[in-house]
Amino acid sequence: MSESCIGNCSACGSDCGERKAESLLAQLNPRSSVKKVIAVVSGKGGVGKSTVTAQLAVAMARKGYRVGVLDADITGPSIPKAFGVTECQGADKSGLYPALTRTGIQVMSINLLLDNDTDPVLWRGPVIAGAVKQFWTDVIWEDVDYLFVDMPPGTGDVPLTVFQSLPVDGVVVVTSPQALVSMIVSKAVKMANMMHIPVLGFVENYSYITCPDCGKRLSVFGESRLEEVAAGFGLPVLAKLPIDPAVAQAFDQGNMETLDTEDLRGVAGAVEKL
């Protein structure tokens, strides 16, 4: 290694056999305090990942923890809608203060910065990824025990940026019962493994619907194969959530904090063990 080496291999043209690994972790805002970061991911869209993220945040807040939600789905943000928040608390020279929900959950999303929440975000991938990174570096997260990152679906720029730039402590994978679950779940788990981030387990959303007349559970999307897939990875199924019109209504009305979160006790327990 050259005596003039500064440790920045990306800017170096030398063929050095003792190169240092350069950390890509972004610096947390100096006025922030975040103890644990949990990424909520899915291999595809439409599985209710944001709904699960919001419910999990509520579940942990009810346990007495200080909770934050970073909405990393820049082109399809929905977390502010779930909690009925429309604007940040403000900003000063130190950074931007996230929105605060009725029960004290801190929320940051691109929709809190737009003039109109229906305005599209027409940015290319690197710009979107940079915005997510700024939600970590420029936002003041106050004494957060658990910060949940609501990820966009897939394995593109934003998930890669989050896994490289934020100190993610664990991943929760959200899926649904369709037959293609094996392929979709495998992609999400393998990405986490490649980034050396532990997967806490799976949440199957839309798992069943309960007949209002006879109480029988009906598998609308077919019988689940998640246990088989999870066993192949040696990971637990943390929860199976039903199709529940009350959840959809609460999300649309910004009342997620009024919902019963008992079905998520297994997920909350896995997060607590971190």
Side-chain angles (χ1 to χ4, degrees):
M1 183 167 57
S2 169
E3 292 181 1
S4 61
C5 178
I6 60 173
N8 185 2
C9 296
S10 63
C12 178
S14 301
D15 183 15
C16 179
E18 299 179 16
R19 290 193 168 186
K20 299 176 182 177
E22 183 181 3
S23 174
L24 298 176
L25 286 178
Q27 184 66 45
L28 181 64
N29 186 291
R31 292 187 58 187
S32 291
S33 174
V34 177
K35 294 179 181 177
K36 297 291 181 182
V37 179
I38 312 298
V40 183
V41 310
S42 65
K44 64 182 292 295
V47 299
K49 172 183 48 56
S50 296
T51 305
V52 171
T53 302
Q55 289 178 285
L56 184 53
V58 172
M60 296 305 291
R62 285 178 179 165
K63 285 176 168 285
Y65 297 108
R66 290 179 63 88
V67 177
V69 181
L70 190 161
D71 189 353
D73 196 349
I74 301 296
T75 58
S78 57
I79 291 297
K81 178 75 172 177
F83 289 103
V85 293
T86 57
E87 59 185 14
C88 297
Q89 297 178 77
D92 57 28
K93 62 181 181 180
S94 299
L96 183 64
Y97 293 88
L100 206 61
T101 71
R102 299 179 187 93
T103 62
I105 296 173
Q106 298 173 51
V107 172
M108 189 61 225
S109 170
I110 195 66
N111 256 15
L112 299 173
L113 305 176
L114 300 177
D115 292 333
N116 191 318
D117 62 8
T118 60
D119 291 343
V121 177
L122 303 178
W123 297 345
R124 295 192 183 276
V127 179
I128 293 174
V132 172
K133 192 173 178 179
Q134 283 186 282
F135 286 169
W136 176 256
T137 60
D138 295 1
V139 173
I140 300 172
W141 300 97
E142 297 184 289
D143 299 320
V144 170
D145 295 309
Y146 294 101
L147 179 67
F148 295 98
V149 183
D150 184 27
M151 303 272 269
T155 56
D157 285 344
V158 171
L160 183 60
T161 295
V162 170
F163 285 156
Q164 289 182 327
S165 302
L166 275 62
V168 180
D169 296 285
V171 168
V172 174
V173 180
V174 181
T175 185
S176 56
Q178 288 100 322
L180 81 166
V181 67
S182 177
M183 177 188 69
I184 298 302
V185 165
S186 295
K187 287 180 182 289
V189 173
K190 288 179 180 178
M191 181 178 187
N193 289 340
M194 290 173 67
M195 305 305 295
H196 306 292
I197 298 172
V199 177
L200 304 184
F202 302 102
V203 174
E204 184 176 82
N205 203 20
Y206 310 139
S207 185
Y208 60 89
I209 189 169
T210 302
C211 176
D213 296 322
C214 67
K216 182 179 179 180
R217 289 187 175 186
L218 306 174
S219 300
V220 178
F221 294 110
E223 294 301 322
S224 172
R225 294 182 54 224
L226 185 58
E227 284 87 355
E228 175 188 340
V229 176
F233 286 108
L235 294 169
V237 177
L238 300 172
K240 288 194 170 187
L241 306 180
I243 299 172
D244 188 349
V247 174
Q249 184 179 36
F251 196 106
D252 289 341
Q253 296 178 350
N255 291 326
M256 292 299 285
E257 289 157 300
T258 66
L259 288 174
D260 180 7
T261 58
E262 182 61 21
D263 286 343
L264 284 165
R265 62 185 180 279
V267 194
V271 170
E272 270 190 310
K273 287 180 182 178
L274 284 172

Short mmCIF file of all heavy atoms in Angstrom, two decimals, residues 193-226:
data_model
loop_
_atom_site.label_atom_id
_atom_site.label_comp_id
_atom_site.label_asym_id
_atom_site.label_seq_id
_atom_site.Cartn_x
_atom_site.Cartn_y
_atom_site.Cartn_z
N ASN A 193 -29.20 -11.15 2.66
CA ASN A 193 -28.03 -11.98 2.97
C ASN A 193 -26.77 -11.43 2.29
O ASN A 193 -25.69 -11.41 2.89
CB ASN A 193 -28.27 -13.42 2.53
CG ASN A 193 -29.28 -14.13 3.40
OD1 ASN A 193 -29.55 -13.71 4.53
ND2 ASN A 193 -29.86 -15.20 2.90
N MET A 194 -26.92 -10.97 1.05
CA MET A 194 -25.78 -10.41 0.33
C MET A 194 -25.26 -9.15 1.00
O MET A 194 -24.07 -8.84 0.94
CB MET A 194 -26.17 -10.12 -1.12
CG MET A 194 -26.39 -11.36 -1.97
SD MET A 194 -27.04 -10.98 -3.61
CE MET A 194 -25.63 -10.12 -4.32
N MET A 195 -26.17 -8.42 1.67
CA MET A 195 -25.78 -7.19 2.36
C MET A 195 -25.42 -7.46 3.83
O MET A 195 -25.18 -6.53 4.59
CB MET A 195 -26.92 -6.16 2.30
CG MET A 195 -27.40 -5.84 0.88
SD MET A 195 -26.08 -5.29 -0.22
CE MET A 195 -25.61 -3.75 0.55
N HIS A 196 -25.42 -8.74 4.21
CA HIS A 196 -25.04 -9.16 5.57
C HIS A 196 -25.94 -8.55 6.64
O HIS A 196 -25.48 -8.10 7.70
CB HIS A 196 -23.58 -8.82 5.85
CG HIS A 196 -22.63 -9.35 4.82
ND1 HIS A 196 -22.37 -10.69 4.65
CD2 HIS A 196 -21.89 -8.71 3.86
CE1 HIS A 196 -21.51 -10.87 3.66
NE2 HIS A 196 -21.21 -9.69 3.16
N ILE A 197 -27.24 -8.52 6.35
CA ILE A 197 -28.23 -8.00 7.29
C ILE A 197 -29.17 -9.13 7.69
O ILE A 197 -29.72 -9.81 6.82
CB ILE A 197 -29.03 -6.84 6.68
CG1 ILE A 197 -28.08 -5.68 6.33
CG2 ILE A 197 -30.12 -6.36 7.63
CD1 ILE A 197 -28.73 -4.57 5.55
N PRO A 198 -29.35 -9.39 8.97
CA PRO A 198 -30.19 -10.51 9.40
C PRO A 198 -31.66 -10.32 9.07
O PRO A 198 -32.20 -9.22 9.21
CB PRO A 198 -29.97 -10.56 10.92
CG PRO A 198 -29.51 -9.19 11.30
CD PRO A 198 -28.74 -8.67 10.12
N VAL A 199 -32.29 -11.39 8.61
CA VAL A 199 -33.74 -11.39 8.37
C VAL A 199 -34.42 -11.93 9.62
O VAL A 199 -34.13 -13.05 10.07
CB VAL A 199 -34.09 -12.25 7.14
CG1 VAL A 199 -35.61 -12.29 6.95
CG2 VAL A 199 -33.41 -11.71 5.89
N LEU A 200 -35.30 -11.14 10.21
CA LEU A 200 -35.97 -11.55 11.45
C LEU A 200 -37.05 -12.59 11.19
O LEU A 200 -37.32 -13.44 12.05
CB LEU A 200 -36.59 -10.33 12.15
CG LEU A 200 -35.63 -9.18 12.46
CD1 LEU A 200 -36.37 -8.09 13.23
CD2 LEU A 200 -34.43 -9.67 13.25
N GLY A 201 -37.67 -12.53 10.03
CA GLY A 201 -38.73 -13.47 9.70
C GLY A 201 -39.70 -12.90 8.70
O GLY A 201 -39.47 -11.83 8.13
N PHE A 202 -40.80 -13.64 8.50
CA PHE A 202 -41.78 -13.27 7.48
C PHE A 202 -43.12 -12.89 8.09
O PHE A 202 -43.52 -13.41 9.13
CB PHE A 202 -42.01 -14.46 6.54
CG PHE A 202 -40.76 -14.94 5.86
CD1 PHE A 202 -40.11 -16.08 6.30
CD2 PHE A 202 -40.22 -14.26 4.79
CE1 PHE A 202 -38.96 -16.54 5.69
CE2 PHE A 202 -39.07 -14.70 4.16
CZ PHE A 202 -38.44 -15.84 4.61
N VAL A 203 -43.81 -11.99 7.39
CA VAL A 203 -45.20 -11.67 7.70
C VAL A 203 -46.00 -11.96 6.44
O VAL A 203 -45.72 -11.40 5.38
CB VAL A 203 -45.38 -10.20 8.11
CG1 VAL A 203 -46.86 -9.88 8.28
CG2 VAL A 203 -44.62 -9.90 9.39
N GLU A 204 -46.99 -12.85 6.56
CA GLU A 204 -47.87 -13.11 5.42
C GLU A 204 -49.11 -12.26 5.57
O GLU A 204 -49.89 -12.43 6.51
CB GLU A 204 -48.24 -14.59 5.35
CG GLU A 204 -49.08 -14.92 4.12
CD GLU A 204 -49.36 -16.40 4.00
OE1 GLU A 204 -50.30 -16.87 4.69
OE2 GLU A 204 -48.63 -17.08 3.26
N ASN A 205 -49.30 -11.33 4.65
CA ASN A 205 -50.48 -10.46 4.67
C ASN A 205 -51.54 -11.04 3.73
O ASN A 205 -51.22 -11.81 2.83
CB ASN A 205 -50.07 -9.05 4.23
CG ASN A 205 -51.03 -8.00 4.73
OD1 ASN A 205 -51.78 -8.22 5.69
ND2 ASN A 205 -51.05 -6.85 4.09
N TYR A 206 -52.81 -10.65 3.95
CA TYR A 206 -53.92 -11.16 3.14
C TYR A 206 -53.98 -12.69 3.20
O TYR A 206 -54.32 -13.35 2.23
CB TYR A 206 -53.82 -10.70 1.69
CG TYR A 206 -53.58 -9.22 1.52
CD1 TYR A 206 -52.69 -8.75 0.56
CD2 TYR A 206 -54.25 -8.29 2.31
CE1 TYR A 206 -52.47 -7.39 0.40
CE2 TYR A 206 -54.04 -6.94 2.16
CZ TYR A 206 -53.14 -6.48 1.20
OH TYR A 206 -52.93 -5.13 1.04
N SER A 207 -53.65 -13.24 4.33
CA SER A 207 -53.53 -14.69 4.47
C SER A 207 -54.88 -15.38 4.35
O SER A 207 -54.97 -16.48 3.79
CB SER A 207 -52.89 -15.02 5.82
OG SER A 207 -52.66 -16.40 5.94
N TYR A 208 -55.92 -14.77 4.88
CA TYR A 208 -57.25 -15.37 4.85
C TYR A 208 -58.29 -14.29 5.12
O TYR A 208 -57.96 -13.16 5.49
CB TYR A 208 -57.37 -16.47 5.91
CG TYR A 208 -57.14 -15.96 7.33
CD1 TYR A 208 -58.20 -15.47 8.11
CD2 TYR A 208 -55.87 -15.93 7.89
CE1 TYR A 208 -57.98 -14.98 9.39
CE2 TYR A 208 -55.65 -15.45 9.16
CZ TYR A 208 -56.71 -14.99 9.90
OH TYR A 208 -56.49 -14.49 11.16
N ILE A 209 -59.55 -14.64 4.93
CA ILE A 209 -60.66 -13.78 5.33
C ILE A 209 -61.62 -14.61 6.16
O ILE A 209 -61.83 -15.80 5.88
CB ILE A 209 -61.37 -13.15 4.11
CG1 ILE A 209 -62.37 -12.08 4.58
CG2 ILE A 209 -62.04 -14.20 3.24
CD1 ILE A 209 -62.92 -11.23 3.44
N THR A 210 -62.17 -14.03 7.20
CA THR A 210 -63.10 -14.74 8.06
C THR A 210 -64.53 -14.46 7.61
O THR A 210 -64.95 -13.31 7.50
CB THR A 210 -62.93 -14.30 9.53
OG1 THR A 210 -61.58 -14.55 9.93
CG2 THR A 210 -63.87 -15.07 10.43
N CYS A 211 -65.27 -15.53 7.32
CA CYS A 211 -66.65 -15.38 6.89
C CYS A 211 -67.48 -14.74 8.00
O CYS A 211 -67.47 -15.23 9.15
CB CYS A 211 -67.23 -16.74 6.53
SG CYS A 211 -69.00 -16.68 6.11
N PRO A 212 -68.17 -13.63 7.71
CA PRO A 212 -68.94 -12.95 8.77
C PRO A 212 -70.14 -13.75 9.25
O PRO A 212 -70.68 -13.47 10.33
CB PRO A 212 -69.38 -11.65 8.08
CG PRO A 212 -69.38 -11.98 6.63
CD PRO A 212 -68.26 -12.95 6.42
N ASP A 213 -70.56 -14.77 8.48
CA ASP A 213 -71.74 -15.54 8.84
C ASP A 213 -71.40 -16.79 9.65
O ASP A 213 -71.99 -17.03 10.71
CB ASP A 213 -72.51 -15.95 7.57
CG ASP A 213 -73.05 -14.74 6.83
OD1 ASP A 213 -73.49 -13.78 7.50
OD2 ASP A 213 -73.04 -14.76 5.59
N CYS A 214 -70.41 -17.56 9.16
CA CYS A 214 -70.11 -18.84 9.84
C CYS A 214 -68.79 -18.82 10.60
O CYS A 214 -68.50 -19.74 11.36
CB CYS A 214 -70.09 -19.97 8.82
SG CYS A 214 -68.73 -19.87 7.62
N GLY A 215 -67.96 -17.78 10.39
CA GLY A 215 -66.69 -17.69 11.10
C GLY A 215 -65.58 -18.52 10.50
O GLY A 215 -64.46 -18.55 11.04
N LYS A 216 -65.85 -19.19 9.39
CA LYS A 216 -64.83 -20.03 8.76
C LYS A 216 -63.78 -19.16 8.08
O LYS A 216 -64.08 -18.13 7.50
CB LYS A 216 -65.48 -20.95 7.73
CG LYS A 216 -64.51 -21.89 7.05
CD LYS A 216 -65.22 -22.80 6.04
CE LYS A 216 -64.24 -23.73 5.35
NZ LYS A 216 -64.92 -24.62 4.37
N ARG A 217 -62.51 -19.60 8.15
CA ARG A 217 -61.42 -18.90 7.48
C ARG A 217 -61.32 -19.37 6.03
O ARG A 217 -61.22 -20.58 5.77
CB ARG A 217 -60.09 -19.14 8.19
CG ARG A 217 -59.98 -18.44 9.54
CD ARG A 217 -58.58 -18.58 10.11
NE ARG A 217 -58.43 -17.82 11.34
CZ ARG A 217 -57.28 -17.66 11.99
NH1 ARG A 217 -56.18 -18.23 11.51
NH2 ARG A 217 -57.22 -16.96 13.10
N LEU A 218 -61.35 -18.43 5.11
CA LEU A 218 -61.29 -18.74 3.69
C LEU A 218 -59.98 -18.23 3.11
O LEU A 218 -59.61 -17.07 3.30
CB LEU A 218 -62.47 -18.09 2.95
CG LEU A 218 -63.87 -18.41 3.51
CD1 LEU A 218 -64.92 -17.58 2.78
CD2 LEU A 218 -64.17 -19.89 3.39
N SER A 219 -59.28 -19.10 2.40
CA SER A 219 -58.00 -18.72 1.78
C SER A 219 -58.27 -18.16 0.39
O SER A 219 -58.28 -18.89 -0.61
CB SER A 219 -57.07 -19.93 1.71
OG SER A 219 -56.81 -20.45 2.99
N VAL A 220 -58.51 -16.86 0.32
CA VAL A 220 -58.92 -16.22 -0.93
C VAL A 220 -57.86 -16.35 -2.01
O VAL A 220 -58.17 -16.55 -3.19
CB VAL A 220 -59.24 -14.73 -0.67
CG1 VAL A 220 -59.62 -14.03 -1.97
CG2 VAL A 220 -60.37 -14.60 0.34
N PHE A 221 -56.59 -16.24 -1.63
CA PHE A 221 -55.50 -16.29 -2.60
C PHE A 221 -54.85 -17.67 -2.69
O PHE A 221 -53.75 -17.82 -3.19
CB PHE A 221 -54.44 -15.25 -2.25
CG PHE A 221 -54.92 -13.83 -2.38
CD1 PHE A 221 -55.13 -13.05 -1.25
CD2 PHE A 221 -55.19 -13.29 -3.62
CE1 PHE A 221 -55.58 -11.75 -1.36
CE2 PHE A 221 -55.65 -11.99 -3.74
CZ PHE A 221 -55.85 -11.22 -2.62
N GLY A 222 -55.52 -18.68 -2.20
CA GLY A 222 -54.98 -20.02 -2.25
C GLY A 222 -54.27 -20.40 -0.96
O GLY A 222 -54.01 -19.55 -0.09
N GLU A 223 -53.97 -21.67 -0.82
CA GLU A 223 -53.30 -22.15 0.38
C GLU A 223 -51.87 -21.64 0.45
O GLU A 223 -51.16 -21.61 -0.55
CB GLU A 223 -53.32 -23.67 0.41
CG GLU A 223 -54.72 -24.27 0.57
CD GLU A 223 -55.41 -23.82 1.83
OE1 GLU A 223 -54.71 -23.70 2.87
OE2 GLU A 223 -56.62 -23.58 1.80
N SER A 224 -51.46 -21.26 1.63
CA SER A 224 -50.13 -20.69 1.83
C SER A 224 -49.04 -21.74 1.68
O SER A 224 -49.20 -22.88 2.10
CB SER A 224 -50.05 -20.06 3.22
OG SER A 224 -48.72 -19.66 3.51
N ARG A 225 -47.93 -21.33 1.09
CA ARG A 225 -46.73 -22.16 1.00
C ARG A 225 -45.58 -21.54 1.78
O ARG A 225 -44.43 -21.95 1.65
CB ARG A 225 -46.32 -22.33 -0.47
CG ARG A 225 -47.32 -23.12 -1.31
CD ARG A 225 -46.82 -23.29 -2.73
NE ARG A 225 -45.49 -23.89 -2.75
CZ ARG A 225 -44.50 -23.45 -3.52
NH1 ARG A 225 -44.67 -22.41 -4.32
NH2 ARG A 225 -43.33 -24.05 -3.49
N LEU A 226 -45.90 -20.52 2.58
CA LEU A 226 -44.84 -19.75 3.22
C LEU A 226 -44.05 -20.57 4.24
O LEU A 226 -42.84 -20.41 4.35
CB LEU A 226 -45.43 -18.51 3.90
CG LEU A 226 -44.41 -17.55 4.53
CD1 LEU A 226 -43.42 -17.05 3.47
CD2 LEU A 226 -45.12 -16.36 5.17
#
